[in-house]
Amino acid sequence: AGLIKEVKTKDDSGYLFKRLVNEYWKYYSYSFYGVGVSQARLNIEGMIAPDVKVYSSLMRTQTTYIPDGTSVSTKHKKTYQYDYYGNNIRTIDFGKYDGNETGEYDKVERHTEYINDTTLWIHVPRRTYTKGFASNNDNSWQTSSDIKFYYDDQNELGQLNGKGLLTKTEKYYNASNFITARMSYDTY
């Protein structure tokens, strides 16, 4: 329903530079006015409102094919995972992809942890971090970025106290240092 399935990029002579193929997760949840409520029925002025099924589509995989002038294309693949609320919690970029999802060398993972306050209707990132397989001698996973988000002037990670206004971030600089940024808001 209006989602991009495939994109082909060609030059004026019709030579294919790149082909992008998207696949989606299609799911539904019961809700009322967009609020996910598991099989809920609302009583409005004595009238029972029926369950409303809300259909959603979320990116499942994105595969890019780049022709190399022969019948073979270089293939790059990304996969996406989501939490119950539809927040993207993990993206795996396989880099050059040969069909083997266990190959580690080009693989990069981006993770996002969320604060999901259903009472306040706030869904905000708590932390995002990216790790990749290092090509150093120990061939281990290495963190390449890490950002922590603080809200409503709270000093503890993952705490909300109001509107969910971002008031501080801590960005990974190296193994022992983070760079801190603080935000303030006017009263408007």
Side-chain angles (χ1 to χ4, degrees):
L3 300 171
I4 296 174
K5 180 179 178 182
E6 183 176 31
V7 176
K8 291 182 179 179
T9 306
K10 298 180 180 183
D11 67 9
D12 290 340
S13 66
Y15 177 79
L16 181 66
F17 279 111
K18 180 169 70 171
R19 179 174 160 241
L20 176 76
V21 178
N22 296 322
E23 296 176 34
Y24 298 90
W25 293 103
K26 294 180 178 127
Y27 74 98
Y28 69 88
S29 62
Y30 289 95
S31 75
F32 190 79
Y33 288 108
V35 180
V37 181
S38 178
Q39 299 181 342
R41 293 185 181 273
L42 300 178
N43 185 342
I44 301 173
E45 297 179 16
M47 187 173 110
I48 300 293
D51 297 334
V52 177
K53 273 189 182 177
V54 175
Y55 290 87
S56 299
S57 296
L58 300 170
M59 183 72 68
R60 179 180 183 179
T61 61
Q62 187 174 62
T63 308
T64 304
Y65 300 89
I66 302 171
D68 64 1
T70 66
S71 61
V72 179
S73 295
T74 302
K75 185 172 163 182
H76 296 262
K77 181 178 178 182
K78 289 183 183 179
T79 61
Y80 301 85
Q81 295 176 355
Y82 302 87
D83 68 8
Y84 174 79
Y85 302 103
N87 297 316
N88 176 234
I89 57 172
R90 184 177 179 205
T91 300
I92 303 172
D93 185 342
F94 291 96
K96 238 183 201 178
Y97 181 71
D98 61 2
N100 179 9
E101 292 190 4
T102 60
E104 304 288 346
Y105 295 100
D106 287 335
K107 190 163 135 179
V108 175
E109 294 187 7
R110 181 174 188 268
H111 297 261
T112 303
E113 301 167 0
Y114 286 88
I115 303 166
N116 294 309
D117 188 323
T118 55
T119 304
L120 296 173
W121 293 28
I122 297 173
H123 300 266
V124 291
R126 176 183 176 273
R127 178 179 176 222
T128 63
Y129 60 95
T130 303
K131 59 184 185 172
F133 199 76
S135 59
N136 57 17
N137 292 335
D138 67 356
N139 289 330
S140 62
W141 283 93
Q142 302 290 322
T143 299
S144 59
S145 74
D146 191 352
I147 305 172
K148 298 175 184 177
F149 302 91
Y150 297 83
Y151 299 89
D152 302 325
D153 290 318
Q154 299 298 298
N155 291 320
E156 186 152 339
L157 188 63
Q159 298 296 312
L160 296 175
N161 186 27
K163 297 179 181 180
L165 295 174
L166 181 63
T167 51
K168 181 172 98 172
T169 61
E170 293 178 340
K171 293 183 182 182
Y172 176 83
Y173 180 69
N174 60 33
S176 59
N177 293 305
F178 280 82
I179 298 171
T180 302
R182 296 187 185 277
M183 297 76 162
S184 60
Y185 297 86
D186 60 21
T187 57
Y188 183 71

